[in-house]
Amino acid sequence: MATTAFEPLISAAWGKPNSWTLDEYKKRGGYKGLEKALELAPAQIIDEVKKSNLRGRGGAGFPTGLKWSFVPKDSPKPKYLAVNGDESEPGTFKDRYILEHDPHMMLEGIAIASYALGVHTCYVYLRGEFKFQAERTNAAIREAYAAGIFGKKMLGKDFQLDCYVVRGAGAYICGEETALLESLEGKKGWPRLKPPFPAVVGLFGSPTVVNNVETLASVPHVFTRGAGWYAGLGTDKSGGTRLVCLSGTVNRPGVYEVSLDTTFTQLIFDDKYGRGLPAGRKVKAVIPGGSSAPILSPDELDIAMEFEAVKVKQTMAGSGGVIVMDDTTCMVRSLWRVARFYAEESCGQCTPCREGTPWQTRLLRKIEEGRGEPGDVEILSNVASSIAPYPPIGLGNTICALGDAAALPTHSFLMRFRDEFEAHIREHRCPFGDKPWGAFGDWS
């Protein structure tokens, strides 16, 4: 449980005039964390981040300080920092708000991380659709150079840091860290086999740390107020606050900053967050961490939106994308839509994903359109298991986790709503009555 009183950190200035400018950021104490960090040795900075219990906000929730410590200190090669701003997980829309409203918070985190890691070049990788966000970030970077934060000397210290924005081409797969590195190198965004891991062999064959936008925006707060204070905002193993994206059948969807002991029930029903569902509607299922996360049933919502608590339910806190489905939702149609996305976004490198994701989509379309046959549900389950067995999470048969992302929703929907799938087959129609979507290609 949190031992420090909650207060918003990442979103505190959102909506305030000119919050994205350097002047306004400094008025709020901006770059004070960097000043304090520069008084420490690099190893001490990494230790402080470890003590803060800051975990990655991009999906996996890996401890940030531990990830930094994997970078070899004696490597003769240059080291790189790559910021993952691809944000392509359906149901997730938080990082773009940081880039729009407070990009200097991320840039300060970049500066601290770079000094700690001995990085002199950072690339901020943004999804291709983020044109406005890229403009805001580039403007902030120019201000940081002019103020002597980036460039040949970092706030007067003999440490050079250059930072560049790179926009991708809108490929979901480039949110996977090694595919992101391939894209940065100008190659096709195909995930790499691991090991070696990026911390040892990353961008241009050199040691590289890949961190999410929100993760780096959280770093300055560890140093402005102290690692113990930051850790106290969260739970035993997860420090600080986090942004969650609430969408679906709720009265007040949006991006909310919450303490990590906040429950899904509170997020959905409290007046300061989702304010419940429309009159007469009931929760049927909730996706807790982006569309790849196995669903929760209504009786599983009184758990904290924290990585370890959610893991107990065999799902993921993921990227913070909470999607609420009410009792009018057709689960077959919903899963079909999710499956279609992953089939479209598969890079095709691995056979289970390349062949399995469109196979899932074809089966789901067949069932939804009333053409399902006895045995189709079992075939669907077997196809998902061939891509990635479940439970537990993490047993996938593909190079990257896109295979798991495609298979896990199928497993969880079938485990909790198999009777609904079988009703579609038995009645030769969708019991929910709405006309299903039209054709989307031969495999859809």
Side-chain angles (χ1 to χ4, degrees), residues 10-23:
I10 307 296
S11 62
W14 292 4
K16 295 182 179 179
N18 302 314
S19 63
W20 54 89
T21 63
L22 179 60
D23 285 346

Side-chain angles (χ1 to χ4, degrees), residues 305-317:
M305 291 185 290
E306 183 268 327
F307 300 98
E308 300 302 321
V310 176
K311 190 187 297 183
V312 172
K313 297 295 184 180
Q314 296 294 339
T315 186
M316 306 175 289

Side-chain angles (χ1 to χ4, degrees), residues 337-367:
R337 184 63 191 89
V338 170
R340 252 182 57 224
F341 173 82
Y342 291 110
E344 289 170 353
E345 296 295 340
S346 171
C347 74
Q349 185 176 187
C350 305
T351 302
C353 189
R354 182 182 65 246
E355 303 299 327
T357 54
W359 194 354
Q360 285 191 141
T361 307
R362 288 192 299 268
L363 284 165
L364 286 161
R365 177 181 182 179
K366 180 183 176 185
I367 294 169

Side-chain angles (χ1 to χ4, degrees), residues 58-78:
F62 196 82
T64 304
L66 183 60
K67 190 174 193 177
W68 291 5
S69 71
F70 292 155
V71 175
K73 297 175 179 61
D74 55 355
S75 174
K77 297 181 178 181

Side-chain angles (χ1 to χ4, degrees), residues 194-241:
K194 300 184 286 288
F197 292 94
V200 179
V201 181
L203 190 62
F204 308 121
S206 299
T208 305
V209 166
V210 183
N211 281 146
N212 168 261
V213 169
E214 185 189 349
T215 307
L216 288 165
S218 301
V219 168
H221 303 286
V222 173
F223 295 91
T224 53
R225 305 279 283 273
W229 174 85
Y230 187 86
L233 281 169
T235 59
D236 288 344
K237 294 184 178 180
S238 301
T241 63

Side-chain angles (χ1 to χ4, degrees), residues 153-174:
K153 291 187 180 291
M154 183 181 287
L155 295 182
K157 201 172 187 72
D158 189 18
F159 186 87
Q160 180 168 346
L161 176 61
D162 291 303
C163 185
Y164 308 95
V165 171
V166 178
R167 286 170 63 195
Y172 171 79
I173 195 66
C174 289

Side-chain angles (χ1 to χ4, degrees), residues 25 30-35 37-38 40 42 45 68 81 83 103-122 124 141 144-145 148-151 153-155 157 159-163 211 216-217 219-220 223:
Y25 186 60
Y31 291 103
K32 293 295 183 184
L34 175 60
E35 291 176 6
L38 292 177
L40 305 174
I45 295 174
W68 291 5
L81 175 64
V83 183
H104 278 285
M105 192 178 292
M106 177 192 70
L107 298 186
E108 184 176 7
I110 286 171
I112 294 170
S114 297
Y115 182 72
L117 296 165
V119 164
H120 297 288
T121 306
C122 171
V124 182
I141 290 172
Y145 271 103
I149 298 161
F150 291 167
K153 291 187 180 291
M154 183 181 287
L155 295 182
K157 201 172 187 72
F159 186 87
Q160 180 168 346
L161 176 61
D162 291 303
C163 185
N211 281 146
L216 288 165
V219 168
F223 295 91

